[in-house]
């Protein structure tokens, strides 16, 4: 036999490999196969770069609807929706003053699905802001910020600030009247430390307000420089910051031992319901050596680690469900309500009333008494207070439970009444009788900066909180009262700013009473 | 009685602060300091040195029939010009609260954004505005009125033609 032609086996092998290539590509991409056993359910997660931020097993307490209400996943889902629709909008958007407005008109009237994309983007952004606020309230009321989750609470605060920053920067981009005047007001709030430095007469030596406005706008008025800066922040700097912080936030959940739960969670849960993927199908052959990596005690031999179930399918199906629900909500809202687009920005005629997005209208209400205290002073105090909560409340009672801690729900109920009552009372008085300047036109500005509805309400809440700390001998009780009061204040002021303020920021019972012009 | 201090350290004892730690700390500190100053230097870039906004000085032609106390707002400008027996004067119409453009009204100005009210000479009557409206420099050259929005003057400064 002389080997003149290649042996027929190699050609045969080549064809076989070619035929098997699709199957092999699939198998090399998804090495663990179907998640059917404990082992393959685990490798399904830690063998996948995108999924492995999750732990492979989830405590059953985490999966209860009332533990999280899915708010974190709603926020994340809304962010993903804004990310995708935002990139789609970037195909047509041009960040230069009049061109920006024209491109918005194109997106609205000419671009296929353009208006729908913009509506989804805008609604998902609103859903994200609302969900992130509620998510923070959930983490607070279940005392989930406590040791060892203090740092993740701080990361969460950072995420709140970046989320609000994304909304604020996105507000300018349409370059219509609403955008232009809301950002003019916002930029002048950044400049409002001048309210204090002017009153002290030191602005020419020390002018942090002017510097903030200059850095934000790149000029002294809202113009092309401001638009390109807001665009850069909106599509690049803030999304990257948000993504980085989100990565840390999720990773820390694992490192901090999953979500917070009561000490007796296992007892209260009882035996797992039918249809749960079993705690463990086969007894593991050895102890889990997690002690060095994860906080908590090492699980015993032949026992599943605590009361956990495989994240695949239980956690993933829950997350997928929440994601689909978020998509559904955003699509439904986008179908029934169009994002507004007013006339082209006109620097000579302010929009009247010029209203910021709804979540800033509470601040705008406070700003209508003192720009510095309402726009910078009190928000800074609130952020500082929120950041300090986990470091001042070192208690353990009630962790992982709704309204946990001394006082509990009755305390929160009383705080709701006090928060709503005091805010409504102060607002009623200033709307009915005016404020210091109307009574004493020559009063020094520093007195108004120090004494106005923003500082009065903050003082009432703070004194109430100190009284609670003394009464219950517990920092947690004070924090519960303070947080509830601020939340109620935010709610009342936002509703007044949104529905009851008309032209010239005058109080009206309904928009139907606004003067025609 | 004995003045002997502590015994001389043995060569085998560890140094109180090992030399390598000092070097390592010094290296880390220099790296941190260099990064910090580089960052501060970079932050100079977004702080604009030249503002791109339009010129603050402009020429205005007053209507002949402008009554005393009646405001004339040149198109596209946020300045109100007045003429009375003592001369011509200009008051800024940018609200000192949050920068909205205020409207001249009967005996004063109104801000549409947060309801600040000003008297005819620019001082605050009510609302959140922290300061009076600035009076601006007006000059008369070659039959034209030149207004400079960037140059405040003391209130009450009126210019004769």
């Amino acid at each position: 036999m002389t080997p003149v032609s290649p042996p027929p086996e190699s050609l045969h092998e080549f064809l076989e490999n070619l035929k098997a290539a699709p199957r092999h590509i699939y198998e090399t991409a998804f090495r663990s196969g179907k998640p059917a056993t404990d082992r393959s359910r685990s490798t399904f997660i830690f063998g996948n770069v995108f999924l492995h931020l999750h732990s492979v097993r989830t405590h059953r307490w985490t999966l209860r609807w009332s533990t999280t209400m899915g708010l974190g996943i709603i926020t994340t889902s809304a962010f993903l929706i804004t990310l995708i629709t935002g990139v789609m909008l970037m195909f047509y958007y041009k960040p230069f003053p009049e061109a920006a407005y024209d491109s918005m008109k194109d997106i609205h009237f000419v671009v296929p699905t353009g208006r729908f994309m913009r509506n989804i983007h805008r609604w998902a952004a609103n859903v994200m802001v609302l969900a992130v606020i509620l998510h923070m309230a959930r983490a607070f009321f279940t005392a989930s910020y406590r040791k060892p989750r203090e740092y993740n609470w701080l990361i969460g605060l950072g995420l709140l600030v970046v989320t609000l920053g994304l909304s604020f920067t996105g507000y300018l981009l349409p370059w219509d009247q609403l955008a232009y005047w809301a950002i003019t007001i916002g930029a002048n709030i950044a400049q409002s430390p001048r309210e204090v430095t002017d009153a002290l007469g030191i602005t020419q030596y020390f002018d942090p307000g002017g510097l903030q406005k200059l850095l934000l706008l790149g000029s002294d008025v809202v113009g092309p420089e401001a638009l390109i800066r807001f665009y850069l922040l909106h599509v690049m700097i803030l999304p990257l910051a948000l993504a980085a912080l989100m990565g840390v936030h999720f990773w820390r959940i694992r490192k901090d031992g999953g979500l917070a739960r009561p000490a007796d969670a296992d007892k209260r849960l009882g035996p797992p319901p039918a249809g749960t993927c079993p705690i463990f199908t086969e007894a593991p052959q050895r102890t889990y050596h997690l002690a060095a990596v994860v906080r908590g005690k090492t699980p015993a031999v032949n026992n599943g680690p605590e009361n956990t179930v495989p994240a695949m399918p239980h956690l993933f199906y829950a997350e997928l469900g929440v994601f689909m629900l978020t998509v559904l909500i955003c699509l439904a809202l986008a179908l029934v309500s169009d994002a507004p687009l007013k006339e082209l920005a006109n620097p000579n005629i302010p929009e009247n009333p010029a209203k910021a997005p709804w979540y800033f209208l509470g601040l705008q209400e406070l700003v209508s008494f003192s720009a510095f205290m309402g726009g910078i002073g009190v928000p800074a105090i609130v952020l500082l207070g929120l950041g300090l909560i986990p470091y001042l409340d070192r208690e353990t009672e009630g962790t992982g439970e709704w309204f946990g801690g001394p006082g509990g729900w009755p305390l929160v109920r009383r705080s709701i009444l006090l928060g709503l009552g005091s805010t409504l009372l102060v607002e009623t008085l200033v709307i009915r009788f005016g404020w210091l300047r109307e009574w004493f036109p020559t009063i020094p500005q520093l007195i108004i900066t120090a004494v106005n509805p923003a500082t009065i309400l903050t003082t009432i809440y703070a004194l109430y909180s100190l009284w609670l700390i003394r009464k219950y001998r517990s920092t947690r009780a004070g924090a519960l009262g303070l947080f509830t009061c601020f939340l109620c204040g935010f709610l009342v002021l936002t509703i007044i700013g949104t529905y009851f303020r008309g032209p010239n920021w005058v109080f009206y019972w309904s928009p139907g009473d606004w003067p025609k012009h | 009685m004995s003045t002997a201090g502590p015994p001389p350290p043995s060569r085998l004892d560890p140094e109180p602060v090992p030399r390598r730690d000092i070097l390592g700390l010094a290296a880390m500190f220099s790296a941190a300091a260099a990064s910090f100053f580089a960052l501060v230097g970079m932050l100079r870039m977004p702080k604009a040195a030249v503002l791109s906004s339009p010129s603050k000085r402009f020429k205005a032609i007053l209507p002949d029939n402008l009554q005393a106390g009646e405001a004339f707002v040149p198109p596209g400008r946020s300045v109100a010009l007045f003429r009375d027996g003592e001369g011509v004067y200009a008051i800024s119409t940018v609200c000192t609260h949050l920068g909205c453009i205020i409207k001249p009204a009967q005996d004063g100005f109104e801000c549409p954004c947060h309801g600040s009210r000003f008297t005819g000479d620019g001082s605050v009557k009510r609302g959140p505005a922290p300061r009076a409206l600035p009076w601006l420099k007006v000059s008369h050259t070659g039959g034209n009125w030149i207004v400079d929005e960037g140059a405040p003057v003391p209130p009450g400064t009126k210019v004769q033609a």
Side-chain angles (χ1 to χ4, degrees):
Chain A
M1 292 232 287
T2 46
V4 271
S5 61
E9 294 83 43
S10 25
L11 189 61
H12 179 69
E13 204 180 305
F14 171 78
L15 287 173
E16 283 300 307
N17 282 345
L18 192 63
K19 248 164 59 187
R23 184 166 53 85
H24 285 153
I25 290 172
Y26 179 83
E27 281 170 6
T28 49
F30 304 97
R31 282 195 273 210
S32 58
K34 272 178 105 167
T37 64
D38 282 342
R39 187 189 169 83
S40 56
R41 284 184 209 284
S42 304
T43 46
F44 178 79
I45 291 168
F46 62 67
N48 182 310
V49 67
F50 301 108
L51 299 183
H52 88 285
L53 269 176
H54 292 85
S55 56
V56 296
R57 303 188 69 81
T58 309
H59 197 279
R60 280 175 53 217
W61 189 270
T62 301
L63 294 172
R64 283 163 33 122
W65 170 246
S66 64
T67 304
T68 62
M69 298 179 175
L71 287 164
I73 299 293
I74 293 179
T75 313
T76 315
S77 310
F79 173 62
L80 290 177
I81 298 169
T82 51
L83 197 69
I84 293 165
T85 50
V87 169
M88 300 305 282
L89 291 171
M90 282 171 72
F91 276 98
Y92 287 96
Y93 180 76
K94 301 168 199 72
F96 194 79
E98 314 239 324
Y101 185 72
D102 289 343
S103 61
M104 292 309 289
K105 284 233 146 154
D106 283 350
I107 288 169
H108 212 81
F109 293 110
V110 183
V111 172
T113 76
R115 186 190 311 196
F116 193 43
M117 283 290 167
R118 178 165 176 247
N119 290 348
I120 301 172
H121 190 72
R122 184 241 192 182
W123 276 113
N126 277 294
V127 166
M128 186 175 168
V129 171
L130 184 65
V132 85
I133 293 171
L134 294 177
H135 177 61
M136 181 176 76
R138 191 283 296 173
F140 176 82
F141 283 122
T142 55
S144 298
Y145 52 79
R146 282 176 180 163
K147 193 180 172 193
R149 298 177 181 81
E150 306 99 320
Y151 186 68
N152 218 11
W153 170 262
L154 291 186
I155 298 287
L157 276 186
L159 283 165
L160 172 72
V161 172
V162 175
T163 304
L164 292 177
L166 272 165
S167 303
F168 179 67
T169 50
Y171 214 66
L172 178 64
L173 304 188
W175 203 256
D176 61 350
Q177 275 288 73
L178 200 61
Y180 185 90
W181 289 102
I183 300 308
T184 299
I185 290 174
N188 281 293
I189 288 176
Q191 196 189 39
S192 67
R194 277 197 183 169
E195 187 180 311
V196 178
T197 54
D198 277 345
L200 297 172
I202 55 169
T203 303
Q204 50 178 322
Y205 313 107
F206 176 69
D207 184 18
L211 180 67
Q212 286 192 96
K213 183 180 175 185
L214 182 61
L215 285 178
L216 195 62
L217 297 186
S219 176
D220 53 349
V221 290
V222 179
E225 271 71 24
L227 183 52
I228 201 81
R229 273 173 199 224
F230 276 61
Y231 181 68
L232 178 67
L233 283 167
H234 189 73
V235 305
M236 176 73 78
I237 296 174
L238 293 177
L240 283 179
L242 193 81
L245 286 174
M246 274 166 83
V248 179
H249 200 61
F250 299 158
W251 179 74
R252 284 297 285 235
I253 296 174
R254 277 195 69 178
K255 294 292 127 180
D256 297 342
L259 300 188
R261 57 179 175 272
D264 59 346
D266 290 346
K267 206 171 74 195
R268 283 159 65 171
L269 281 169
T276 315
C277 273
I279 305 292
F280 257 83
T281 43
E282 61 237 53
Q285 297 306 300
R286 60 173 89 163
T287 319
Y288 276 70
H289 281 286
L290 299 172
V293 200
V294 179
R295 286 168 194 276
K297 47 184 198 289
T298 315
V301 181
N302 289 352
N303 266 328
E306 294 161 332
N307 205 349
T308 60
V309 291
M312 175 70 206
H314 292 292
L315 178 62
F316 279 130
Y317 283 11
E319 289 184 351
L320 196 65
V322 174
F323 174 73
M324 291 312 290
L325 185 72
T326 314
V327 173
L328 189 73
I329 291 171
C330 293
L331 289 186
L333 289 169
L335 278 173
V336 297
S337 165
D338 274 353
L341 187 63
K342 301 239 173 178
E343 303 81 24
L344 176 66
N346 181 347
N348 292 309
I349 300 168
E351 180 75 3
N352 190 4
K355 290 198 179 185
W358 61 266
Y359 33 84
F360 287 131
L361 286 184
L363 289 185
Q364 206 174 334
E365 176 66 23
L366 294 181
V367 152
S368 71
F369 301 99
S370 160
F372 175 68
M373 269 303 159
I376 293 187
V378 168
I381 293 171
V382 169
L383 273 181
L384 189 71
L386 285 172
L388 279 176
I389 284 176
Y391 298 96
L392 301 180
D393 169 15
R394 310 299 283 175
E395 297 159 25
T396 51
E397 187 194 330
T399 301
E401 291 187 62
W402 276 92
F403 314 113
W409 170 242
L411 185 158
V412 174
R413 200 174 49 206
R414 272 199 310 272
S415 307
I416 290 174
L417 289 179
L418 183 102
L420 293 179
S422 57
T423 316
L424 279 171
L425 182 70
V426 170
E427 277 291 305
T428 309
L429 290 178
V430 294
I431 287 169
R432 179 72 185 77
F433 299 108
W435 192 238
L436 294 171
R437 179 81 72 195
E438 277 99 284
W439 310 331
F440 317 103
T442 54
I443 195 168
Q445 178 59 31
L446 276 181
I447 295 182
I448 295 181
T449 303
V451 185
N452 58 62
T455 54
I456 290 174
L457 286 173
T458 308
T459 312
I460 294 175
Y461 301 163
L463 290 176
Y464 170 63
S465 167
L466 289 175
W467 177 76
L468 286 175
I469 292 177
R470 257 193 63 177
K471 181 180 172 202
Y472 289 91
R473 297 171 193 288
S474 153
T475 313
R476 167 69 176 167
L480 268 177
L482 193 62
F483 189 89
T484 311
C485 280
F486 270 112
L487 213 56
C488 293
F490 174 79
L491 187 74
V492 170
L493 294 172
T494 304
I495 289 175
I496 292 178
T498 308
Y499 296 108
F500 296 103
R501 290 295 192 176
N504 297 2
W505 210 251
V506 172
F507 183 88
Y508 289 97
W509 281 108
S510 97
D513 303 340
W514 291 11
K516 305 275 178 292
H517 49 229
Chain B
M1 285 298 275
S2 106
T3 54
S10 153
R11 238 170 14 92
L12 300 174
D13 283 344
E15 299 168 66
V17 181
R19 190 166 25 176
R20 280 188 202 177
D21 282 12
I22 288 282
L23 289 175
L25 281 174
M28 278 199 291
F29 178 79
S30 340
S35 314
F36 175 76
F37 283 110
L39 206 66
V40 170
M42 279 166 70
L43 280 179
R44 290 187 58 201
M45 191 176 165
K47 183 172 181 281
V50 177
L51 304 185
S52 63
S53 48
S55 168
K56 303 266 181 231
R57 271 165 65 87
F58 65 94
K59 202 191 294 184
I61 298 160
L62 287 181
D64 291 333
N65 56 353
L66 191 67
Q67 302 298 314
E70 190 190 342
F72 168 66
V73 179
R77 294 286 171 177
S78 33
V79 176
L81 288 167
F82 297 90
R83 179 163 56 196
D84 63 12
E86 296 165 51
V88 171
Y89 56 99
I91 297 179
S92 163
T93 58
V94 180
C95 184
T96 53
H97 179 229
L98 291 173
C100 291
I101 305 301
I102 58 180
K103 274 187 303 213
Q106 299 97 320
D107 63 284
F109 304 90
E110 297 180 352
C111 180
C113 288
H114 299 100
S116 289
R117 301 280 165 77
F118 302 85
T119 57
D121 66 352
S123 49
V124 187
K125 204 154 59 172
R126 54 171 293 179
R131 292 186 309 280
L133 297 170
W135 287 45
L136 302 172
K137 189 180 166 194
V138 181
S139 47
H140 191 256
T141 36
N144 289 313
W145 293 100
I146 310 286
V147 185
D148 190 346
E149 289 183 73
V153 291
T157 312
K158 297 178 184 178
V159 180
Q160 291 283 0

